[in-house]
Amino acid sequence: MQIIVNDFISLDGVVQAPGGPDEDRDGGFAHGGWSHPYFDVEAMGSVFDELMGSADVLLYGRGTWQNMAAAWPERAGDPFADAINSAEKLVLSRTLTDADMTWEGSRLLPADDAIGALRELKEQRDGRMLLLGSPTVATQLFEADLVDELVLMLEPILLGGGKSIFPQDGAARPLELAQVKQASTGVLICTYRVVRG
């Protein structure tokens, strides 16, 4: 199973709170919702449709899952919402419980070894697993060498600090640019493959 990481990202590498002002204020982050002015429905929407259409499993960290679980179930009837709502969803969290998994298709990975459980799943199953948002999980996946592909919506803005998806462990991780598309808003939609061996 391949793991694909998908994120909106600023030119200075920030992925925190692209969706709304109160999405994630950790560290005093004050720019929530920064990605909205750059969303090109035709160019970026088609990439999301393609990613969702090819994903067998959606993967979330706690915060992203909670935000999505609060928003998407009530949007039933929209094809994108229906795809998210009906998908198999795996959640990495040390604080949520099985009782919290009220969003259809959601399941917690073992809190004591979620990365190990993902590694096992990756080896046992075919298909594609898509991580949406979830910067802490993305970093852990990179550190564990579990990411196969990276789809970034590189947006023309500098945010001056905030959460990133990239490890700070000093290790070099070569990538290969597989595709790039330009949106009308100046966003570059870049697909990278992780180079191994």
Side-chain angles (χ1 to χ4, degrees):
M1 182 167 255
Q2 288 190 318
I3 294 181
I4 293 90
V5 172
N6 172 234
D7 266 295
F8 297 103
I9 190 165
S10 68
L11 285 176
D12 53 347
V14 176
V15 299
Q16 188 169 353
D22 296 317
E23 182 180 346
D24 181 356
R25 292 187 178 272
D26 284 359
F29 190 75
H31 305 298
W34 54 270
S35 72
H36 287 287
Y38 304 105
F39 194 82
D40 176 331
V41 173
E42 186 176 323
M44 297 164 78
S46 66
V47 171
F48 280 116
D49 287 344
E50 190 177 306
L51 286 169
M52 285 298 299
S54 67
D56 300 286
V57 177
L58 301 180
L59 187 60
Y60 297 99
R62 178 199 50 78
T64 303
W65 181 86
Q66 287 178 313
N67 287 332
M68 302 275 281
W72 287 103
E74 65 191 42
R75 299 180 189 177
D78 169 84
F80 188 79
D82 289 348
I84 287 180
N85 287 327
S86 64
E88 178 183 357
K89 294 171 272 290
L90 299 179
V91 184
L92 287 81
S93 173
R94 290 186 180 95
T95 56
L96 295 176
T97 67
D98 288 332
D100 295 314
M101 298 290 106
T102 55
W103 187 16
E104 177 188 351
S106 297
R107 179 169 58 94
L108 272 175
L109 289 169
D112 59 342
D113 190 17
I115 296 297
L118 278 178
R119 187 181 307 281
E120 191 173 306
L121 183 66
K122 188 171 167 27
E123 292 169 359
Q124 290 176 349
R125 288 177 60 177
D126 292 325
R128 291 164 61 92
M129 194 178 323
L130 177 63
L131 177 72
L132 297 168
S134 310
T136 303
V137 174
T139 303
Q140 292 172 340
L141 292 175
F142 275 114
E143 290 172 343
D145 192 31
L146 292 178
V147 176
D148 297 290
E149 194 170 284
L150 183 60
V151 180
L152 297 177
M153 310 284 184
L154 184 60
E155 310 210 358
I157 186 170
L158 300 173
L159 295 171
K163 292 179 182 175
S164 175
I165 59 173
F166 303 120
Q168 300 293 310
D169 58 7
R173 294 174 173 87
L175 305 172
E176 174 185 40
L177 181 63
Q179 185 178 51
V180 63
K181 295 179 182 177
Q182 184 170 340
S184 62
T185 55
V187 174
L188 295 178
I189 306 161
C190 302
T191 301
Y192 295 95
R193 293 193 183 106
V194 173
V195 177
R196 291 189 173 93

